[in-house]
Amino acid sequence: MDSGASELDWVESYLAQLATLRQLSPHTIDAYRRDLRQLHLLAKGVPWQQLRQADIRRLTAILHGQELGPRSIARKLSSWRGFFGWLSHQMTLAANPTDGVRAPKRPKPLPKALAVDDAVQLVSSTPPGRATLTGAELCNRAMFELLYSSGLRVAELAGLDVAYSKGRDGQSASLGWIDLASGDVLVTGKGNKMRTVPVGSHARAALAAWLAVRPPPTDGSSALFLSERGTRVSPRVVQLRLKQHAIAAGTPVHVHPHMLRHSFASHVLQSSGDLRAVQDMLGHASITSTQVYTALDFQHLAAVYDQAHPRAKAK
């Protein structure tokens, strides 16, 4: 291309090559064109070879200040990076000015937790018009009560035994077990770290009711919770049973086992304010992983403020 070509001429030459050699769709080419024209506009016509990394960082900050999302900024940076990579073969550049420039981090979505009343209603609900539960329903109630009571991961729950076993007849030693006498559950979490978590009174009652009717496992294990075939329940089966139970109970959101873990953490933190204790009960190696629940706690406080404070809302 002629050395006197305008900056946008370079863009069109690049896009033509993308369309010809890479056979990108017209829609994709138009997206690249918009991104590169926006760069030209933000740079106020500064020649491409004069742009430096500091300029790209500044322009990225402008986009962020315009409330453009991290995903969109990352896409634009990708468009710009490809263009400058191509341009470096067409003219002399000191360096690719987009190298080392990253989009702002995407904010982590807050864990979804149930309200206290919704969580209690979910784990304790019974089929309408039924005075007694079947053995499978007693198993489900014990599982759901324990998930919410102790904040277990679904894999930790599925791995529980009725009591500690050293392992024999081809079975492994227990990685987790329930101790109703002391009111504790012992589990092996991530990094093979064991922890002890208290079990609430309602969960203990549900566990006792299930243990009273629990048949011997057909797989020779000491599994606490069983599938319909009498083998140790799998995490996937727990997920499906909880989903079906939540639908039958009329829970207004999609529920999965980790939501009960989030609900446990959020509700304990709301009541106690003890972040370190919640960290220990969840089995987090770093308190940074637990601090996300302080945001959930603030949401609770803000809701109470909005509902109760006479100056909270504009009249």
Side-chain angles (χ1 to χ4, degrees):
M1 180 179 290
D2 190 291
S3 59
S6 73
E7 307 312 310
L8 291 180
D9 286 340
W10 286 109
V11 170
E12 292 304 321
S13 179
Y14 170 61
L15 297 177
Q17 191 167 101
L18 289 181
T20 303
L21 298 183
R22 294 180 54 186
Q23 297 186 334
L24 299 183
S25 71
H27 175 76
T28 301
I29 295 296
D30 285 342
Y32 276 110
R33 180 178 286 109
R34 286 193 299 271
D35 290 342
L36 293 169
R37 283 181 175 272
Q38 185 175 26
L39 173 60
H40 180 256
L41 182 64
L42 290 170
K44 298 181 179 179
V46 172
W48 298 128
Q49 64 266 37
Q50 293 182 21
L51 288 176
R52 298 293 181 264
Q53 186 186 76
D55 298 312
I56 300 298
R57 290 188 187 279
R58 177 176 55 81
L59 301 182
T60 301
I62 291 174
L63 294 175
H64 187 57
Q66 293 174 349
E67 298 187 353
L68 196 67
R71 186 188 298 273
S72 297
I73 295 176
R75 192 203 69 237
K76 290 181 184 297
L77 277 171
S78 178
S79 299
W80 300 353
R81 189 173 293 112
F83 172 65
F84 281 107
W86 170 83
L87 198 61
S88 67
H89 296 288
Q90 315 302 318
M91 64 172 66
T92 301
L93 297 179
N96 187 328
T98 62
D99 285 347
V101 181
R102 296 183 179 181
K105 287 186 178 180
R106 300 174 191 173
K108 272 190 172 182
L110 290 177
K112 293 181 180 178
L114 295 168
V116 174
D117 290 345
D118 289 339
V120 171
Q121 167 66 22
L122 172 66
V123 300
S124 63
S125 64
T126 58
R130 295 266 300 280
T132 59
L133 299 178
T134 66
E137 290 168 341
L138 288 171
C139 179
N140 287 348
R141 171 172 283 188
M143 289 194 301
F144 306 155
E145 286 276 10
L146 187 56
L147 281 171
Y148 177 53
S149 171
S150 302
L152 304 185
R153 300 178 177 94
V154 64
E156 295 170 347
L157 179 97
L160 289 176
D161 289 341
V162 291
Y164 175 73
S165 172
K166 291 182 179 179
R168 60 183 184 279
D169 300 328
Q171 298 292 332
S172 302
S174 297
L175 295 176
W177 61 93
I178 196 78
D179 188 342
L180 288 180
S182 64
D184 296 325
V185 59
L186 294 91
V187 294
T188 301
K190 291 183 178 180
N192 288 324
K193 293 183 178 179
M194 293 202 72
R195 70 184 190 280
T196 302
V197 188
V199 179
S201 59
H202 292 282
R204 292 200 302 271
L207 284 163
W210 159 239
L211 288 172
V213 300
R214 168 184 167 274
T218 59
D219 56 4
S221 72
S222 300
L224 175 59
F225 299 117
L226 304 177
S227 69
E228 292 181 355
R229 298 191 304 274
T231 58
R232 183 182 298 277
V233 74
S234 70
R236 179 58 178 163
V237 167
V238 179
Q239 292 171 354
L240 292 175
R241 288 188 186 182
L242 180 57
K243 179 181 179 180
Q244 294 167 356
H245 178 77
I247 293 172
T251 306
V253 295
H254 169 65
V255 179
H256 50 84
H258 225 64
M259 184 179 285
L260 289 180
R261 177 172 162 88
H262 294 323
S263 301
F264 158 83
S266 178
H267 299 166
V268 171
L269 187 59
Q270 288 171 13
S271 300
S272 69
D274 193 333
L275 190 64
R276 183 67 67 180
V278 173
Q279 176 194 358
D280 290 342
M281 286 187 281
L282 290 175
H284 285 161
S286 168
I287 201 167
T288 303
S289 301
T290 317
Q291 284 174 334
V292 65
Y293 294 107
T294 61
L296 291 175
D297 186 38
F298 178 77
Q299 287 182 338
H300 168 76
L301 296 177
V304 170
Y305 181 89
D306 286 342
Q307 293 170 8
H309 199 288
R311 306 289 287 175
K313 295 179 180 178
K315 302 297 183 184

